[in-house]
Amino acid sequence: MPEAPAGTLYRGREGMWSWVAHRVTGFLIFFFLLVHVADTSLVRVSPEAYNAVIGAYKNPIMGLAEAGLVAAIVFHAFNGIRVMLVDFWSSGPRYQRVMLWIVLGLVVVTMAAFLPRHLMNVFGGGH
Amino acid sequence: MSETTAAPELAAPRAPRNRRSTRTNYELYGWLFMRASGVLLLVLIFGHLYMNLMVGDGINAIDFAFVGGKWSSPLWQTWDLLMLWLAMIHGTNGVRTIINDYAERVGTRVVLKSALYLAFTITVVLGTLVIFTFEPCPAGADPELLASICFP
Ligand code: HEM
Ligand code: HEM
């Protein structure tokens, strides 16, 4: 494959992979949201119906899925800010690669703050 | 790869360009909306996740009474309403772009986009109705399952 001409972002390497990841996470979050609004609507059926369905979110497998969902949101959100900086900040395109590493660093820090608390809630010991 | 393909037709150098490929600016507005809504969604969703997963017992505390407590406050009603609309418009517009990129046949696009807009309409209408018609203290419900605000 020929070398990408200088200055383009979306040809292989970090610029392209971050775009793929942004797309995949956005797509997944959208489908989660459809299901999420549907099961929240059970509060209009009865307290028992809502509690039964939300109870399914409290087992360890779902607990891990929630951790994955949060990771997807956090990446999509921080990378979204990076995309905006590339678009609107005059030096953005020059720093797009550095900013991707900053995004990944912020994702790690945010998850480090979130995971212990959440996993304790999910696997007991937290209460 | 070995066969030769016809060279694409190129305009003569410095020929005046007709840059208008569409009559409207809707794609530009969509592009701007993705960015503006993204900033707001970051605050709304991080706040939502913090309140529902980090505070107190996190996921274990969520039940009908929890929702009853939150949605008896206009702050959280407004919060969730904004989050619902912005996330659904942002997500639907994003998925529309993805469909445009990968579904090459016109028929496939029409089918996928119709399904997308149907899901959008159902979800936004349902979610909005739920927020506005929610009854935190339904008559005759088991008092054990209700929020403390139901027992002043
Ligand atoms: C595992 C993580 C999540 C949990 C446990 C959770 C839990 C809840 C709960 C208990 C409610 C009821 C009202 C309230 O508490 O405000 C709710 C509503 C809502 N959530 Fe989440 N949520 C999660 C993730 C998300 C995400 C990632 C989004 C956005 C993409 C989101 C969007 C919404 C919306 C729009 C509503 C209002 C629904 C309606 O109008 O009927 N939630 N969520
Ligand atoms: C948390 C805050 C969020 C921020 C900061 C954000 C930011 C962005 C930005 C800036 C774009 C445009 C990317 C581009 O034009 O290249 C985008 C695309 C997208 N977003 Fe979000 N977003 C957020 C939340 C969400 C949510 C909740 C959903 C799902 C309901 C979502 C789904 C999508 C999708 C499907 C795309 C299209 C991806 C593509 O075309 O490749 N986003 N987001």
Side-chain angles (χ1 to χ4, degrees), chain A residues 32 36 50 73, chain B residues 48 52 62 70-71 80 83-84 127 131:
Chain A
F32 162 80
H36 186 51
Y50 182 75
I73 302 254
Chain B
H48 184 66
N52 290 6
I62 296 180
K70 259 184 109 177
W71 278 352
D80 285 1
M83 187 165 64
L84 172 73
I131 294 177

Side-chain angles (χ1 to χ4, degrees), chain A residues 10 19-20 22-31 33 73-74 76-81 83-84 87, chain B residues 31 34-43 45-46 83 86-98 101-102:
Chain A
Y10 288 170
W19 170 79
V20 170
H22 195 83
R23 182 159 267 201
V24 170
T25 51
F27 198 72
L28 290 177
I29 300 162
F30 180 74
F31 285 95
L33 186 57
I73 302 254
V74 171
H76 187 96
F78 290 157
N79 190 60
I81 301 294
V83 169
M84 295 178 216
D87 289 337
Chain B
W31 183 91
M34 290 309 272
R35 281 142 185 83
S37 61
V39 175
L40 291 170
L41 281 169
L42 188 142
V43 176
I45 295 179
F46 280 30
M83 187 165 64
L86 288 177
M88 282 305 295
I89 301 174
H90 177 106
T92 302
N93 190 241
V95 173
R96 184 187 63 91
T97 307
I98 298 179
D101 280 357
Y102 299 120

